[in-house]
Amino acid sequence: MGQKDSIEKLLEDYNDVFADIIDVLLFDGKEVIQEEDLVDVRTRSQYKADDALLHEQERDVAKLWKSRNVCIALIGIENQTQIDNDMPLRVIGYDGASYRSQILGKNEERYPVITLILYYGDKPWSGPKSLHESLNIPEGLRKYVNDYPIRIVNISYLTEEQVSEFQSDFQIIADYFVQKRVNHGEYIPGNQEFRHTDAVLKFLDIFTSDERFSEAAESARKNGEEVRNMCDVLDRVENRGLEKGLEKGLEEGLEKGRAEGELNKGIIVFRNMLKRGFSIAEAQAIAELTDDEVALAEAKSQNKC
């Protein structure tokens, strides 16, 4: 598993965050699932393709919801930053593997499998939302092909009421994406305190392609300070931006100073060669000056007090 894949699953893998996401998006904010009712399950399954080779497929996050040792459902979460036209087929693969494991299991429990796709794009999902929409089906066959709808949640298009219903760190994530869309790229941080600071900031790093979030946390750690909320994060991001601007200015100033020093040396050599009787072309070649730099040297000579 790649490091990026591991990091993007880290936040949602916490039971409090996972339960919160499901309670808000499936149960309209009612506290139906308790943290202690969630059990981690394998997210990786194997299958044979047309090439007869054994392949693997892996969900982002999946948990078994149990109550009094009875399995109520297996729930999976998939994260998407881009539209995938094969998403219905992928979901069928994940769900089918979960149902097959029930058939092959030692007990006779049978429970539903639910997959939720969280889409973080700034435009609504325009890809297929069902198996029928993914396939080119001749009209005469459509009624014989079982359909398979999937559930897509456009995170950036959640309502303010929905965002406020989140009780975990996911409220920070949802609020960020909604604000960025509604406010045309602007974001005003709230004061909700992090519970899983590192996971939140790494999640934002990946889903916004902006490494300044985790850089802020790293900076705080080095200084023995605490990042409590998004206000702290953005303060550090802003300060770091100023620091980088100053560093860049100093570097450019030093580079400019070095360049000017080299030019002045060349002009001195050029003048000395002329004094010794060399022609302008010969002096220019020895001093390694351009035509513009020769003109500058001659101008400086004329203006010399």
Side-chain angles (χ1 to χ4, degrees):
M1 184 191 304
Q3 183 182 16
K4 176 179 179 294
D5 292 333
S6 300
I7 292 173
E8 76 175 43
K9 301 169 187 177
L10 185 61
L11 177 63
E12 294 161 341
D13 204 34
Y14 285 107
N15 279 1
D16 66 304
V17 177
F18 190 96
D20 190 36
I21 290 172
I22 302 306
D23 279 344
V24 172
L25 299 181
L26 294 189
F27 301 115
D28 299 322
K30 299 175 184 176
E31 293 185 20
V32 175
I33 301 180
Q34 305 300 316
E35 292 182 47
E36 57 272 20
D37 293 339
L38 294 172
V39 180
D40 291 338
V41 296
R42 288 181 57 190
T43 57
R44 186 173 297 181
S45 59
Q46 297 179 329
Y47 65 95
K48 279 190 176 181
D50 292 340
D51 55 12
L53 297 177
L54 197 61
H55 298 265
E56 286 188 337
Q57 60 183 6
E58 185 171 10
R59 286 182 178 272
D60 284 348
V61 186
K63 293 183 183 288
L64 198 60
W65 175 21
K66 303 183 73 172
S67 180
R68 298 179 182 178
N69 293 322
V70 176
C71 295
I72 298 174
L74 185 144
I75 304 176
I77 293 177
E78 297 298 314
N79 296 304
Q80 287 292 123
T81 55
Q82 296 181 340
I83 293 170
D84 182 353
N85 290 330
D86 288 330
M87 202 68 211
L89 283 74
R90 285 178 53 197
V91 171
I92 289 174
Y94 299 144
D95 294 356
S98 298
Y99 284 122
R100 182 169 178 77
S101 68
Q102 295 180 41
I103 295 174
L104 300 177
K106 295 180 181 179
N107 56 53
E108 295 183 357
E109 279 189 302
R110 299 290 181 266
Y111 45 84
V113 178
I114 300 168
T115 298
L116 196 61
I117 297 100
L118 307 185
Y119 174 57
Y120 296 89
D122 55 2
K123 297 288 178 64
W125 180 276
S126 59
K129 295 181 180 179
S130 69
L131 180 60
H132 276 194
E133 292 179 15
S134 299
L135 305 176
N136 294 319
I137 308 174
E139 194 55 42
L141 294 179
R142 181 170 292 271
K143 64 181 180 181
Y144 300 111
V145 178
N146 291 332
D147 201 3
Y148 202 89
I150 60 175
R151 183 176 179 84
I152 307 281
V153 178
N154 295 281
I155 297 299
S156 299
Y157 285 80
L158 293 175
T159 65
E160 289 185 15
E161 182 181 358
Q162 286 176 305
V163 172
S164 67
E165 288 175 346
F166 290 109
Q167 302 299 311
S168 70
D169 286 342
F170 198 78
Q171 183 185 90
I172 299 167
I173 302 295
D175 181 55
Y176 180 86
F177 283 94
V178 169
Q179 280 202 49
K180 293 286 278 186
R181 179 188 66 81
V182 173
N183 300 329
H184 307 289
E186 296 297 322
Y187 170 70
I188 301 172
N191 58 5
Q192 179 184 342
E193 296 205 353
F194 298 130
R195 182 174 178 183
H196 309 293
T197 305
D198 196 55
V200 171
L201 297 181
K202 286 179 176 177
F203 188 97
L204 286 171
D205 265 6
I206 289 175
F207 285 89
T208 64
S209 300
D210 189 341
E211 295 180 353
R212 293 178 299 173
F213 291 106
S214 60
E215 285 178 0
E218 184 63 26
S219 171
R221 276 194 293 269
K222 287 181 179 178
N223 295 320
E225 298 171 353
E226 186 179 4
V227 175
R228 297 166 301 174
N229 52 42
M230 287 297 284
C231 287
D232 288 348
V233 172
L234 295 193
D235 282 346
R236 289 193 164 276
V237 166
E238 185 176 335
N239 290 337
R240 183 57 183 147
L242 290 173
E243 289 172 9
K244 286 186 175 180
L246 289 172
E247 290 170 3
K248 184 179 180 182
L250 287 172
E251 288 175 4
E252 289 177 350
L254 289 171
E255 192 64 36
K256 183 178 179 181
R258 281 194 291 267
E260 289 180 353
E262 292 297 324
L263 176 58
N264 287 334
K265 286 181 183 178
I267 290 174
I268 291 171
V269 171
F270 176 76
R271 288 174 179 170
N272 288 336
M273 293 301 101
L274 290 179
K275 288 178 183 179
R276 294 182 183 181
F278 287 87
S279 67
I280 291 177
E282 290 171 334
Q284 179 180 356
I286 294 170
E288 297 182 344
L289 298 180
T290 65
D291 291 342
D292 289 340
E293 289 167 346
V294 168
L296 177 62
E298 292 177 334
K300 284 187 175 183
S301 296
Q302 293 172 2
N303 294 333
K304 189 175 180 181
C305 297

